[in-house]
């Protein structure tokens, strides 16, 4: 080892470094931060694009989840799966039922006053219509009674449940078409739907039918016959007009007007059943 220099002696200069100084890497001086910033900006842009794309996919998936796709086959079982007060809405009205006013209370033509607890076929139908329904496998007859908004007319609406069959076209030969045909053959004397009198309402004494109408629901997944019988709250019996009022076809005109009112009500009820099948009963 070298000797320690005596006090006061000059210290020799240090020897050369064991390796020469190295130049900094190209771009290292003042450029490292800029490169990292550029890379960070690129990643940020990519992240934003991914976020936008992911958000769009999420929105699209949510939009698809909100779509209501009608299940037409549900029509075959909705008579027992839907609450009975959905099968028979509180009000029926509007222009033909299809133009947005079917359930609008301001456009109501009929107000429900009661729903029958009896569902046996022989409790809900009469005579030729009943026989045809039973001959074609009648499962149940659901009924509800309505009073019109003037308080003058009362009607019982029926949903006759039959086995599946024809699609309801004019040439159909399924159970529901056969029931309708039996009614039409005896239309002048056939009451079709048995009245359901509702105690404590304007329909408490409802029994005399002045008119009726029966029709098949449309579609192969709606195995129903829809019907209504209609009468007067004050007990008026159609077709027995006094004196000159009953002459020259007056009685026939009276009867036809009641049948026409029953047909209008069945048309409203059919519109409701169509919408109930697709989940659009509002």
């Amino acid at each position: 080892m070298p000797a320690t220099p005596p006090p006061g002696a000059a210290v020799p200069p240090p020897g050369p470094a064991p390796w020469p100084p190295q130049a900094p890497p190209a771009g290292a001086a003042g450029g490292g931060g800029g490169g990292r910033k550029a890379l960070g900006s690129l990643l940020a842009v990519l992240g934003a694009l991914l976020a936008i794309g992911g958000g769009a996919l999420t929105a699209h998936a949510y939009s698809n989840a909100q779509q209501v796709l009608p299940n037409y086959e549900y029509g075959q079982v909705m008579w027992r799966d839907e609450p009975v007060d959905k099968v028979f809405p509180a009000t029926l009205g509007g222009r033909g039922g299809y133009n947005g006013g079917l359930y609008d209370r301001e456009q109501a033509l009929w107000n429900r006053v009661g729903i029958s607890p009896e569902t046996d076929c022989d409790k809900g139908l009469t005579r030729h219509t009943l026989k045809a329904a039973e001959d074609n496998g009648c499962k149940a007859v659901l009924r509800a009674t309505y009073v019109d908004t003037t308080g003058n007319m009362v009607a019982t609406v029926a949903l006759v449940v039959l086995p599946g069959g024809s699609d309801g076209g004019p040439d159909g030969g399924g159970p529901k078409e056969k029931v309708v045909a039996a009614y039409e053959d005896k239309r002048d004397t056939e009451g079709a739907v048995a009245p359901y009198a509702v105690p404590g309402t304007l329909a408490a004494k409802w029994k005399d039918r002045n008119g009726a109408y029966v029709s098949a629901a449309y579609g192969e997944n709606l195995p129903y016959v829809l019907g209504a019988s209609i009468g007067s709250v004050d007990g008026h019996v159609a077709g027995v007009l006094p004196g000159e009022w009953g002459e020259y076809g007056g009685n026939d005109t009276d009867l036809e007007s009641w049948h026409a009112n029953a047909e209008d009500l069945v048309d409203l009820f059919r519109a409701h059943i169509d919408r109930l099948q697709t989940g659009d009963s509002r």
Side-chain angles (χ1 to χ4, degrees):
M1 294 181 62
T4 302
V11 178
W19 56 80
Q22 303 293 317
R36 287 191 293 270
K37 291 179 180 178
L39 178 60
S41 299
L42 178 59
L43 292 176
V45 171
L46 290 175
L49 291 174
L50 290 174
I52 294 173
L57 289 174
T58 301
H60 181 68
Y62 179 79
S63 176
N64 286 341
Q66 299 305 301
Q67 293 182 12
V68 177
L69 301 177
N71 177 14
Y72 292 104
E73 292 185 357
Y74 178 63
Q76 299 180 18
V77 297
M78 68 184 188
W79 67 275
R80 55 179 171 79
D81 285 2
E82 287 286 344
V84 69
D85 59 351
K86 290 288 291 295
V87 175
F88 297 106
T91 62
L92 284 170
R95 297 179 179 178
Y98 291 97
N99 297 326
L102 185 59
Y103 310 111
D104 186 348
R105 289 182 178 275
E106 293 184 358
Q107 299 187 47
L109 299 176
W110 295 91
N111 295 302
R112 190 190 70 215
V113 295
I115 298 173
S116 173
E118 299 175 322
T119 60
D120 293 341
C121 297
D122 61 353
K123 300 294 185 182
L125 301 175
T126 62
R127 303 184 64 188
H128 304 286
T129 306
L130 171 61
K131 184 179 186 307
E134 292 180 330
D135 289 347
N136 286 277
C138 182
K139 298 180 180 180
V141 176
L142 311 183
R143 289 178 300 155
T145 293
Y146 289 78
V147 172
D148 83 315
T149 50
T150 69
N152 291 318
M153 292 188 294
V154 58
T156 295
V157 177
L159 179 77
V160 184
V161 185
L162 298 164
S166 172
D167 64 359
D171 299 324
K176 56 188 179 182
E177 288 79 27
K178 292 178 180 178
V179 173
V180 173
Y183 161 75
E184 291 178 344
D185 286 344
K186 305 292 183 180
R187 181 174 180 268
D188 291 339
T189 58
E190 178 69 345
V193 178
Y196 170 56
V198 185
T201 72
L202 289 174
K205 298 181 180 179
W206 162 221
K207 64 177 181 178
D208 293 319
R209 289 166 286 185
N210 291 336
Y213 188 74
V214 171
S215 179
Y218 299 137
E220 61 182 351
N221 291 307
L222 290 174
Y224 310 119
V225 164
L226 313 175
S229 59
I230 191 169
S232 177
V233 169
D234 65 7
H236 166 74
V237 177
V240 290
L241 299 178
E244 63 182 16
W245 299 105
E247 298 174 357
Y248 308 110
N251 285 330
D252 290 339
T253 301
D254 188 23
L255 285 168
E256 284 302 319
S257 67
W258 286 98
H259 285 306
N261 286 322
E263 182 176 356
D264 289 342
L265 177 54
V266 170
D267 285 344
L268 290 173
F269 189 51
R270 181 191 293 110
H272 164 66
I273 292 299
D274 289 344
R275 294 177 66 169
L276 186 64
Q277 179 189 24
T278 60
D280 188 27
S281 59
R282 295 189 294 270

